Amino acid sequence: MAVHTVRSLATHLHTGTSRNISPSHRNPNAAIRLSYRSPKLRRFISVSSSLREGNEHGKENSVRALEVKNIPEESPLLPKALSSNQLAEPVSNGSRVRVAYQGVRGAYSESAAEKAYPNCEAVPCEEFDTAFEAVERWLVDRAVLPIENSLGGSIHRNYDLLLRHNLHIVGEVKLAVRHCLLANHGVNLVDLRRVLSHPQALAQCENTLTRLGLVREAVDDTAGAAKLIALEGLSDAAAVASAKAAEIYGLSVVAEDIQDESDNVTRFLMLAREPIIPGTNKLFKTSIVFSLEEGPGVLFKALAVFALRQINLTKMESRPLRKTPLRASGGLKYFDYLFYVDFEASMADEVAQNALRHLEEFATFLRVLGSYPVDTTML
């Protein structure tokens, strides 16, 4: 695999991305026009959509979502989340910053988006993939997506999507998560037999839910669980979600702060089509991904390029290299990995640039995902 060269700072940070929409996906009866502005470019693009999109093999993409029937147009449960087969529909009715997040109204990701971009137009998406694509197709300006939680660990899906899509990390935001047990009015703890929520939320409340003897059922997101409980009028089930979700969907809070640890914090990444120009006037963090040849001490050498320059690593995550998951060496087969690393330095610093030039000498692949300000606040 060829090494991706770490280019000069100005060249690297101004590299744009573009995606073409296949003609096979176009429906002439569903064409819309989207406008966007860029410091380098002003133009209008005609975008067409079809009711279902296909992948490169011609197969239709399935949309995993809770099916809701007979919801009146004026229902407070609307708007529905943007799905993958609606990506060519306009989602903004004003000039506010449009920010995509995964989930429905009341999701923790919505709160993170509003913290990252106050007064934004938060746009719900059914899938993490949908949020990435919405940014790439100019339907929204930013996406705010979870990457790790202090109790549940990393959200591996989003690590994989960072490499699959050509977006840049332009910031981070940390959100304190306070889980509540939500049920329909009149339902008490003794009436409950099961609990619905996102797998991460269920894991973060494992001790409490075990003590209550509730059967756990995983759904796509926390607020989606609350929405389902309300729509179905369930009397034997509760949702693990936020107090905000209870207000939106008309549920009662049966129990508060049910997470196993009080310090339950989720870190979100802010994603954009263009990178920001890093500075040195505040604390910056840089995220990269790289792969290495198999051999003794190779990972040690990779980490040494930072240690030798007194650069602090704050996060390291390994993920399988999907196209070549196994490699043969000496008659044995090994897993092949990508390494995601966050370190405390700005790409405007010469020491960080030198570290990546050093790493480039023996890395088989190297990509800078973003250089952005560190979030030092906490909700």
Side-chain angles (χ1 to χ4, degrees):
M1 184 181 298
V3 177
H4 282 208
T5 303
V6 181
R7 293 162 285 177
S8 66
L9 181 64
T11 302
H12 177 81
L13 290 174
H14 285 35
T15 299
T17 63
S18 64
R19 288 174 64 94
N20 294 324
I21 299 177
S22 170
S24 63
H25 294 168
R26 294 177 181 171
N27 177 356
N29 296 322
I32 60 171
R33 288 179 66 83
L34 300 175
S35 64
Y36 62 87
R37 293 182 176 87
S38 167
K40 301 178 183 178
L41 194 59
R42 290 175 183 266
R43 60 175 171 155
F44 286 87
I45 291 184
S46 292
V47 183
S48 299
S49 68
S50 61
L51 293 180
R52 298 188 66 86
E53 291 186 351
N55 57 25
E56 64 272 21
H57 304 296
K59 297 179 180 178
E60 290 184 337
N61 295 327
S62 60
V63 179
R64 298 184 299 276
L66 298 173
E67 292 188 2
V68 180
K69 299 179 180 180
N70 300 324
I71 303 179
E73 288 297 324
E74 66 275 10
S75 169
L77 303 185
L78 297 177
K80 294 180 181 179
L82 186 68
S83 64
S84 59
N85 60 354
Q86 298 169 324
L87 279 176
E89 296 181 6
V91 294
S92 177
N93 56 5
S95 59
R96 292 182 297 166
V97 174
R98 298 160 295 170
V99 183
Y101 68 93
Q102 188 276 327
V104 297
R105 290 191 59 214
Y108 293 107
S109 292
E110 182 184 32
S111 297
E114 292 170 347
K115 180 186 177 184
Y117 298 99
N119 301 316
C120 70
E121 179 187 350
V123 180
C125 299
E126 287 186 344
E127 310 269 352
F128 289 132
D129 311 55
T130 311
F132 275 85
E133 293 177 24
V135 180
E136 287 184 321
R137 299 189 184 189
W138 297 85
L139 297 175
V140 296
D141 304 296
R142 300 286 189 271
V144 173
L145 299 170
I147 197 66
E148 60 178 328
N149 175 266
S150 58
L151 300 183
S154 299
I155 290 81
H156 294 131
R157 177 63 178 165
N158 283 337
Y159 273 105
D160 295 338
L161 291 172
L162 281 172
L163 191 60
R164 184 179 303 175
H165 295 271
N166 293 318
L167 298 183
H168 302 269
I169 304 173
V170 295
E172 66 174 5
V173 60
K174 298 172 184 174
L175 187 75
V177 176
R178 299 181 60 186
H179 289 308
C180 298
L181 198 62
L182 312 182
N184 282 300
H185 292 287
V187 176
N188 300 312
L189 273 176
V190 294
D191 303 318
L192 300 176
R193 297 292 179 267
R194 55 199 177 105
V195 60
L196 286 65
S197 196
H198 188 277
Q200 281 266 346
L202 295 174
Q204 293 162 23
C205 305
E206 182 177 3
N207 294 339
T208 301
L209 300 179
T210 300
R211 187 174 66 253
L212 294 174
L214 299 177
V215 176
R216 280 154 270 191
E217 298 180 13
V219 296
D220 286 342
D221 64 277
T222 56
K227 181 177 180 179
L228 181 63
I229 295 290
L231 288 173
E232 298 293 333
L234 301 177
S235 59
D236 67 333
V240 174
S242 65
K244 180 180 179 180
E247 296 176 6
I248 292 173
Y249 301 112
L251 299 176
S252 63
V253 178
V254 179
E256 294 181 312
D257 292 327
I258 63 171
Q259 61 271 7
D260 294 337
E261 300 290 339
S262 57
D263 292 331
N264 184 20
V265 178
T266 298
R267 175 174 166 249
F268 295 80
L269 297 180
M270 300 149 64
L271 303 174
R273 289 178 293 275
E274 297 289 339
I276 61 172
I277 303 299
T280 56
N281 59 329
K282 60 177 69 173
L283 184 60
F284 265 71
K285 180 184 292 184
T286 299
S287 296
I288 64 173
V289 57
F290 60 90
S291 60
L292 302 166
E293 289 288 355
E294 179 64 35
V298 178
L299 182 56
F300 173 81
K301 287 172 60 179
L303 299 182
V305 307
F306 303 102
L308 291 172
R309 295 170 176 83
Q310 301 298 308
I311 297 176
N312 184 44
L313 303 185
T314 60
K315 170 79 175 178
M316 184 170 183
E317 183 78 28
S318 63
R319 296 292 296 149
L321 188 58
R322 296 201 168 196
K323 291 185 178 179
T324 56
L326 293 174
R327 88 167 94 198
S329 178
L332 298 176
K333 288 188 175 181
Y334 298 89
F335 283 105
D336 214 354
Y337 290 100
L338 289 165
F339 298 96
Y340 292 81
V341 168
D342 295 343
F343 59 87
E344 288 181 340
S346 169
M347 282 303 297
D349 294 330
E350 186 176 359
V351 66
Q353 297 176 37
N354 289 338
L356 294 194
R357 290 192 186 100
H358 191 176
L359 178 59
E360 180 189 18
E361 293 176 5
F362 51 89
T364 58
F365 169 80
L366 174 60
R367 175 177 162 187
V368 176
L369 298 171
S371 190
Y372 49 93
V374 174
D375 180 17
T376 57
T377 67
M378 193 76 71
L379 283 182

